[in-house]
Amino acid sequence: EKNIVDDDRFTFVRSNFRYIKNWMRYYEVDKIDGLLADLGVSSHHLDDENRGFSFRYEAPLDMRMNKRAGQTAADILNNYSEEQIADILYIYGELKNARRIASAIVKSRQSKRVETTGDLLNATTGLFAKEREKKEMAKLFQALRIEVNDEMKALERFMPMAVKSLAHG
């Protein structure tokens, strides 16, 4: 059985999908017949206890998919305004009590920077009902990951380029 990666009808590109046009120029391709983009976070990110993607492990709040790029989740939590944090949590995490959570984070950072997953958990203690705590914390971490990696802007940039890149028919 032939491996799809070895099929000349298929080109695997290991890069952020927002750069599709750059890669098409690199491969000297004008149009494509199809496209698969991996839009999700993978378990290897979540299971890496040193990256700060999960509240299951005590770790630095990093959450960058590319560890050489941009700001970390700790940077966001320590530098964004309370309103900016609340907006991120509400829009990307769909957390109904986003304002209360943002307020607790800002209050916590006044005495000590929020640097680790444990710091964030301590700052938000008591803000979630026990029976929903894990689901709500997952939403909180999701919201931070989306902001850290600029995932929405990447999609906004990618989608029109993807459509324009497709061959007619």
Side-chain angles (χ1 to χ4, degrees), residues 18-83:
R18 74 170 73 195
Y19 304 120
I20 182 175
K21 276 298 190 191
N22 298 355
W23 287 103
M24 288 177 65
R25 274 195 299 274
Y26 176 80
Y27 286 108
E28 299 177 341
V29 173
D30 293 321
K31 294 289 182 180
I32 56 176
D33 295 320
L35 173 73
L36 285 172
D38 183 358
L39 305 180
V41 65
S42 67
S43 62
H44 83 269
H45 288 114
L46 298 176
D47 293 339
D48 183 346
E49 55 191 79
N50 299 313
R51 301 281 297 273
F53 281 102
S54 175
F55 53 89
R56 293 179 299 178
Y57 311 109
E58 173 65 18
L61 279 167
D62 190 323
M63 295 192 191
R64 293 173 296 173
M65 298 289 186
N66 176 352
K67 290 188 78 169
R68 295 180 307 275
Q71 60 190 348
T72 66
D75 294 332
I76 288 167
L77 293 174
N78 289 292
N79 299 324
Y80 279 26
S81 70
E82 184 174 322
E83 184 177 357

Side-chain angles (χ1 to χ4, degrees), residues 30-155:
D30 293 321
K31 294 289 182 180
I32 56 176
D33 295 320
L35 173 73
L36 285 172
D38 183 358
L39 305 180
V41 65
S42 67
S43 62
H44 83 269
H45 288 114
L46 298 176
D47 293 339
D48 183 346
E49 55 191 79
N50 299 313
R51 301 281 297 273
F53 281 102
S54 175
F55 53 89
R56 293 179 299 178
Y57 311 109
E58 173 65 18
L61 279 167
D62 190 323
M63 295 192 191
R64 293 173 296 173
M65 298 289 186
N66 176 352
K67 290 188 78 169
R68 295 180 307 275
Q71 60 190 348
T72 66
D75 294 332
I76 288 167
L77 293 174
N78 289 292
N79 299 324
Y80 279 26
S81 70
E82 184 174 322
E83 184 177 357
Q84 288 173 305
I85 294 170
D87 288 348
I88 290 164
L89 300 181
Y90 185 77
I91 295 166
Y92 299 153
E94 300 178 356
L95 289 161
K96 291 176 180 43
N97 60 343
R99 298 230 177 277
R100 282 184 46 223
I101 297 166
S103 177
I105 291 167
V106 168
K107 184 179 179 185
S108 177
R109 77 184 188 195
Q110 289 170 351
S111 59
K112 178 185 181 289
R113 280 183 57 85
V114 180
E115 294 286 348
T116 67
T117 54
D119 294 341
L120 181 54
L121 293 174
N122 289 335
T124 58
T125 297
L127 295 177
F128 305 113
K130 275 290 181 216
E131 66 275 2
R132 298 213 25 89
E133 187 174 37
K134 286 186 179 173
K135 283 191 182 293
E136 298 297 301
M137 286 305 297
K139 290 179 177 185
L140 171 60
F141 275 64
Q142 169 188 288
L144 286 172
R145 187 203 78 234
I146 289 170
E147 179 68 13
V148 165
N149 295 291
D150 202 21
E151 294 176 25
M152 291 305 174
K153 285 195 181 93
L155 277 173

